[in-house]
Amino acid sequence: MTTLDPQSHTETVRRTSAAGPGRSPALEFASAWDYAPAPESVKVEIAKVYGHFINGAFTQPDGGPARTMATINPATEAELAQFARGDAADVDAAVKAAREAQPKWAALPAKERGKYLFRIARRMQERARELAVLETMDNGKPIKESRDVDIPLAAAHFFYHAGWADKLQYAFAGRTPEPVGVCGQIIPWNFPLLMAAWKLAPALACGNTCVLKPAETTPLTALRLAEICAEVGLPEGVVNIVTGDGEAGEALVKHPGIDKIAFTGSTEVGKRIARATAGTGKKLTLELGGKSPNIIFEDASLDQAIEGVVAGIYFNQGHVCCAGSRLLVQESIADEVTKRLTHRLQTLRVGDPLDKNTDVGAINSRPQLDTINNYLGRAREEGLQCHSPSTSALPKNGYWCKPCFFTGVQQSHTLSREEVFGPVLAVQTFRTPEEAISRANNSPYGLAAGVWTDKGSKIFEVAGQLKAGIVWLNTYNRFDPASPFGGYKESGFGREGGMQGLRGYVRLDGGAK
Amino acid sequence: MNDRLPILKTYKLAIGGAFPRTESGRSIAIKNPAGEVIAHTCHASRKDLRNAVEAALTVQPKWAGASAYLRGQILYRMAEMVEGKRTELAEAISATGATTTEDARTEVDRCTDRLACFAGWTDKYPQVLGCHNPVTGPYYNFSVPEATGIVGVLAPDSPSLLGLISLIAPVLCSGNAVVVLASETNPIPACVLAEALATSDLPGGVFNLLTGQRDELVEHFASHREINGLSAAGVSQAHRATLEAGAAENLKRVRVLVEPDFTDDSGFESPWSIEPFVETKTIWHPSGA
C-alpha cells in the first residue's frame, strides 16, 4: 500500500523499476539502474614526504620513522605520503616564528593585511580542482562535496575576512579592537581545508599570527595552503603549520608563547584543553561535538524534509559536528517518514569518493570505522532495529559504512545521547511541539537543530526555544562565511564566521578584555 | 551618653525570593574599624549554593522570555529601590571602614545610574550584538543573542556594592539569572541590596545572594553542572585557576576581570559587558515563492 505522492520522484522510479503487482511493491534500485563510473580526471602531484611549514619555509623532515608518519587514502588504504610528526621542539620553533612576525603583521596597514587574504582566496579559487581532488584522496569525502562545498567555502572564507581587516572598528561599537597575539589552532579531519580557513582567516584579518596543527589523518591540503601562503608572499612566520598527532597538539596548548587556543574537535578533548589552559590567561574558543536534533512536524513538506534529513546526517559520511543525528518525527507521520527514508537511502550511492556520482564516500580512518561499528553493535544489543537499505556494492579495500537509521529510539538508548560521527541516524517520535522541544533540548550538547513545518508561527516559536547555536528551518547543513557557527552548552563557546566570529580574535579595551 | 543597647542584625541569604538562614547554621561576625561587631551574616555552604541554583533554574526561562521592555522596566525599578536606600547602602559600604561615607555615597549613586543604564540596554543590545547575515543563496539568515542561563557571580571585596552591581546588571539585562557570592570583607551592602530588590518586581530567584567564604565556595561554583557561566572580579590567581579548571567540566563561559576600574563607565556600561553571557543563535530559512 503506497501513500506516495504520484508526482514525486520516488513514485516515478517505482513504476519504472519493474516491480510486480501487489499491495506493497518493493523498490529495487540496484537492478533498475546501473551507473557507469564517472571518475575525476584531474591528477594531483603529491610529494613522498612533507615537512612542517615554519617561518615561511618547509622544514626538512629529519628522517627516521619516529619523526614521520603516513597519511593514507581511506578509500583504498594506499599510502599517499609521509609527513613530519611534530614534537615540542617543532612547536617551539613555529611559535617563535609567529611571535616574531606578529607585531609586524599587526602594524601593517589594515588594507594591506586584507589584500594578502584576498590573494590567498584568489589562489585557492584558481587551484580549486587540485585542492578538491587532494582533499577527497586524503579524507575520503565524495569529490562532488569537496569540489562544490569544502573548497569554494574555504576560499570564500578568506575572501569574506579579507574585507574585515580594515573595518574591525565598525564591528565593535565604541571599542578599539586589538589583536590577541599568537594563536594556536587545532583542527579536525572532517573538513580539513575548510577548518583551516575557518581558523586562519579571521585570526589573520584581526592582526594575529598563527600556528596551525592539522589532523593526523588529513594534513595534505593544509600543507597545500602553506604553499599558497608562500606563493602569495605572505610575510614569513604569519602562518605556520606543524603536522603530527596529539603530541604536537598538546605541546601547542601548553606553550607559554601562545595567547589563544582555538580548537575544533571532540568535547572530550575540548574539556582537556579547557583544563590545561585554566589559570594561564590564554584565550580559548571551542567548537565541539553535537547530537543535533532534526524535528519533522506533521505539517511539513515531506519531500523537502526527507531531502533535508539525508543532507543532515549522510553529508560527509556523517562526519559533521552539527550532523542532524537525532531525527524527531511527529508520531502521526512516523511510518510515512520511515518508508520514504528507506526508499531514499536505496538510491544513495556509496563508493569511490573520486567518482563524481558518489553520494557517500569512505570513512576517514580505521579507528573511526571501529568507533562507528561499536555504536552500531551497541544499538543492536540495546534492541534497536537497523535499517540499512543502500544497494551499493562496497569496494574491497578501504573503510566503509553504509548509511543507516535506527527506529524506536528512546532517550535511554546510547544512540540518542552519544555522538557517533558517522552515517547513523537515530529516529525518535513525539506527539506535541512541547515534547519535541523538550526532547530536542535534552542533551548536554547544543550545536545545531533543524525544524520542518510549513507553519510560520510554529517554526519561529520552536526555533526560539531550541538551545542550539545554529537553527536550520526547512533546511539543514547550510554554511556561509557570513553566518556565525558555534554552539551552546557543551558544544563549546565562541563563534566562527560572521561578525560575531571576529570576537574570539580581538582584545577590547575598557572593562571587557 | 547613649547607653541603649543596639539590636544587632543578622543578615540572611536571598534564595528564590525568600530570605533563609544558611542551612549550615553558621554565621560570620562583621566588625567596624574599632573591632566592634556591627552585624552578623550567614556563612553559606555548598548546599545553600545548590538551593540557590535550583531556585534560579525554575525562574530563568520565564525571565529570559519576558519582553525586553518589561525587563527594562524592572531594572529601572531596581534602580529606584536602590535610590530609596541610598543612605542605608552608603552607611553599609563605609561601615567596615573600607571607604569614607562620602565616597560610599558616590559609589551608591554610580550603582543606581549603572542599573538605569542597563534598564535601557535590554531592548537595544540585541540590535547591537545581533544582525542579518548576507549569505549566498536563497536563504534568510539572522543572528540573535540569547541568555546563557544561570551565571555564578563572584563579587570583589571592594568596591563592595559597585563591583557587584557592575557584574550583575549586564548579566540580568539579557535574561540570565544570577547566584552571587558577595564581597567577603563587607557583605552588608549586598544584603541590603537583596532586601531592596525583594520589592523591585524582579521575579524571586532571578537574583540569589550568598554570603560566606570564597575559599570554601569557589570550587563549588566552578564545578556545579547547572551553572552555565561564571563572572568574577577581584579573585586571587589561585581562585581563578580553580574557576577555569572547574568550568571545563561543563564548559561554562568564564569571565574574570583583573584589576578592573569599576568607575570606568565606558568599560562597564557598554554592550561588551553583556556579550560574554549571551549565546549567538543563527537561524536560516529558505526564501522562495
Side-chain angles (χ1 to χ4, degrees):
Chain A
M1 159 174 75
T2 172
T3 54
L4 286 179
D5 173 3
Q7 302 302 315
S8 80
H9 173 69
T10 27
E11 173 70 1
T12 316
V13 171
R14 190 186 66 78
R15 284 183 185 150
T16 58
S17 68
R23 283 174 55 78
S24 200
L27 291 165
E28 206 4 291
F29 288 95
S31 60
W33 283 338
D34 202 11
Y35 296 106
E40 170 61 52
S41 55
V42 169
K43 296 280 178 275
V44 177
E45 276 181 33
I46 302 175
K48 272 213 171 76
V49 57
Y50 287 92
H52 308 297
F53 183 72
I54 295 174
N55 207 24
F58 283 94
T59 61
Q60 204 62 40
D62 49 3
R67 298 313 324 149
T68 60
M69 46 201 301
T71 181
I72 64 161
N73 181 338
T76 62
E77 298 176 61
E79 181 177 315
L80 293 170
Q82 291 280 326
F83 64 96
R85 183 199 294 257
D87 60 12
D90 298 318
V91 166
D92 190 51
V95 173
K96 276 205 177 93
R99 268 261 75 93
E100 198 171 312
Q102 199 273 327
K104 285 174 276 179
W105 177 245
L108 270 187
K111 265 202 189 68
E112 298 301 303
R113 241 177 24 233
K115 277 153 63 182
Y116 281 109
L117 297 196
F118 278 127
R119 276 191 180 191
I120 294 173
R122 186 55 93 220
R123 282 307 288 157
M124 287 174 81
Q125 290 170 326
E126 285 160 359
R127 296 177 68 171
R129 190 54 61 90
E130 168 200 353
L131 289 166
V133 172
L134 188 62
E135 194 75 301
T136 282
M137 292 174 76
D138 206 14
N139 170 280
K141 64 174 67 205
I143 184 72
K144 74 175 178 196
E145 289 180 10
S146 52
R147 183 194 64 201
D148 299 345
V149 181
D150 290 63
I151 311 303
L153 268 180
H157 228 80
F158 275 99
F159 194 91
Y160 175 81
H161 286 95
W164 267 127
D166 60 346
K167 300 168 191 68
L168 296 172
Q169 70 269 32
Y170 307 112
F172 300 99
R175 286 286 172 277
T176 311
E178 300 286 339
V180 175
V182 174
C183 303
Q185 306 177 311
I186 302 171
I187 58 172
W189 44 261
N190 56 342
F191 296 93
L193 186 66
L194 184 57
M195 289 300 110
W198 278 28
K199 293 280 179 284
L200 293 171
L204 300 181
C206 294
N208 304 283
T209 55
C210 302
V211 178
L212 176 86
K213 194 202 86 70
E216 64 186 89
T217 60
T218 54
L220 295 184
T221 46
L223 292 166
R224 276 299 205 270
L225 179 59
E227 272 179 40
I228 289 176
C229 290
E231 201 183 343
V232 303
L234 189 73
E236 292 169 0
V238 171
V239 167
N240 304 275
I241 294 179
V242 176
T243 54
D245 53 20
E247 183 189 350
E250 197 179 328
L252 195 54
V253 167
K254 293 194 171 151
H255 199 291
I258 293 279
D259 301 301
K260 183 231 163 82
I261 294 287
F263 171 77
T264 296
S266 72
T267 290
E268 185 200 340
V269 176
K271 289 181 178 181
R272 259 191 353 239
I273 291 175
R275 277 190 286 269
T277 54
T280 62
K282 283 178 186 149
K283 261 179 95 109
L284 186 62
T285 47
L286 299 170
E287 202 271 90
L288 309 175
K291 192 76 199 178
S292 297
N294 204 353
I295 306 170
I296 308 185
F297 286 101
E298 60 190 1
D299 45 16
S301 295
L302 271 193
D303 287 343
Q304 288 161 34
I306 296 296
E307 288 311 303
V309 170
V310 169
I313 181 66
Y314 305 118
F315 172 62
N316 201 33
Q317 298 73 247
H319 301 329
V320 184
C321 46
C322 54
S325 54
R326 284 189 291 151
L327 182 62
L328 305 180
V329 185
Q330 197 151 20
E331 209 172 73
S332 53
I333 53 164
D335 290 345
E336 180 65 16
V337 166
T338 305
K339 188 161 73 185
R340 289 193 187 214
L341 258 185
T342 305
H343 294 168
R344 185 65 182 86
L345 259 60
Q346 286 185 28
T347 67
L348 284 184
R349 276 162 275 167
V350 188
D352 182 8
L354 278 170
D355 190 309
K356 287 179 260 191
N357 285 328
T358 293
D359 294 308
V360 178
I363 300 303
N364 179 254
S365 67
R366 164 64 66 186
Q368 185 56 30
L369 181 60
D370 291 343
T371 300
I372 295 169
N373 284 334
N374 230 330
Y375 276 112
L376 294 180
R378 260 166 89 180
R380 290 197 183 92
E381 275 167 31
E382 290 174 12
L384 290 174
Q385 191 194 350
C386 180
H387 307 255
S388 179
S390 166
T391 52
S392 296
L394 297 181
K396 218 175 101 211
N397 293 325
Y399 314 129
W400 307 97
C401 177
K402 285 194 176 182
C404 64
F405 66 97
F406 286 83
T407 47
V409 178
Q410 300 295 327
Q411 197 59 37
S412 53
H413 289 114
T414 309
L415 211 54
S416 74
R417 290 180 282 114
E418 295 184 20
E419 184 176 38
V420 176
F421 225 61
V424 183
L425 177 67
V427 185
Q428 295 176 266
T429 58
F430 68 88
R431 288 184 181 170
T432 63
E434 294 71 29
E435 191 188 351
I437 291 163
S438 110
R439 278 183 184 242
N441 287 336
N442 188 355
S443 167
Y445 296 114
L447 190 48
V451 187
W452 300 84
T453 165
D454 275 350
K455 194 151 186 283
S457 55
K458 178 153 80 183
I459 211 162
F460 281 107
E461 171 62 21
V462 175
Q465 304 268 351
L466 291 171
K467 300 282 181 214
I470 308 107
V471 181
W472 283 297
L473 306 178
N474 288 325
T475 186
Y476 207 94
N477 268 349
R478 299 288 150 188
F479 308 94
D480 194 279
S483 179
F485 187 96
Y488 282 38
K489 300 193 277 185
E490 295 187 26
S491 288
F493 42 75
R495 291 292 176 268
E496 293 184 297
M499 186 175 71
Q500 290 79 359
L502 301 169
R503 181 66 184 94
Y505 289 101
V506 296
R507 284 188 203 282
L508 301 179
D509 54 346
K513 289 284 186 282
Chain B
M1 277 304 265
N2 183 6
D3 50 6
R4 176 186 172 268
L5 189 67
I7 293 178
L8 284 189
K9 182 170 176 178
T10 297
Y11 289 94
K12 298 198 279 183
L13 308 176
I15 296 176
F19 288 88
R21 291 178 198 281
T22 167
E23 62 81 36
S24 67
R26 301 173 301 177
S27 62
I28 297 171
I30 307 295
K31 296 175 183 167
N32 66 13
E36 298 156 344
V37 174
I38 50 173
H40 287 88
T41 56
C42 291
H43 181 168
S45 66
R46 179 187 190 182
K47 180 74 169 81
D48 293 318
L49 168 64
R50 286 156 63 169
N51 291 343
V53 172
E54 216 166 283
L57 274 170
T58 56
V59 71
Q60 190 271 328
K62 249 188 269 171
W63 174 240
S67 72
Y69 182 39
L70 178 59
R71 286 204 311 274
Q73 292 199 79
I74 292 175
L75 261 87
Y76 186 72
R77 183 71 185 154
M78 289 164 63
E80 288 181 334
M81 299 317 289
V82 169
E83 184 81 44
K85 293 223 179 204
R86 189 168 177 258
T87 309
E88 187 181 350
L89 281 166
E91 276 174 14
I93 289 170
S94 52
T96 54
T99 56
T100 64
T101 317
E102 198 173 324
D103 285 349
R105 274 203 201 100
T106 312
E107 186 180 330
V108 176
D109 290 346
R110 197 178 282 280
C111 289
T112 319
D113 292 352
R114 193 149 287 172
L115 284 169
C117 167
F118 282 96
W121 263 127
T122 58
D123 52 5
K124 296 167 194 70
Y125 80 87
Q127 295 174 312
V128 178
L129 300 179
C131 54
H132 170 262
N133 306 307
V135 297
T136 303
Y139 294 95
Y140 193 77
N141 176 303
F142 56 98
S143 294
V144 291
E146 291 186 346
T148 296
I150 312 297
V151 177
V153 173
L154 292 103
D157 283 339
S158 174
S160 55
L161 189 63
L162 182 60
L164 191 160
I165 292 283
S166 302
L167 296 190
I168 66 166
V171 173
L172 292 176
C173 151
S174 60
N176 295 289
V178 295
V179 178
V180 180
L181 181 59
S183 160
E184 192 170 319
T185 52
N186 186 7
I188 300 177
C191 297
V192 176
L193 174 73
E195 291 172 1
L197 297 188
T199 50
S200 70
D201 301 335
L202 188 70
V206 173
F207 170 85
N208 303 279
L209 180 73
L210 305 179
T211 53
Q213 293 181 347
R214 252 180 246 130
D215 265 342
E216 181 183 333
L217 289 173
V218 155
E219 62 173 308
H220 302 309
F221 269 91
S223 62
H224 196 300
R225 296 203 53 107
E226 303 291 347
I227 295 179
N228 310 106
L230 293 168
S231 183
V235 295
S236 68
Q237 177 57 29
H239 283 165
R240 177 183 189 163
T242 304
L243 285 174
E244 290 179 349
E249 297 311 316
N250 65 333
L251 295 169
K252 293 177 186 72
R253 289 76 174 116
V254 187
R255 184 180 188 228
V256 179
L257 298 174
V258 182
E259 295 173 18
D261 173 11
F262 290 108
T263 62
D264 168 16
D265 286 346
S266 84
F268 281 95
E269 296 183 356
S270 87
W272 303 105
S273 56
I274 302 172
E275 184 259 354
F277 298 103
V278 297
E279 310 290 317
T280 296
K281 176 185 277 180
T282 298
I283 299 176
W284 294 67
H285 196 283
S287 63

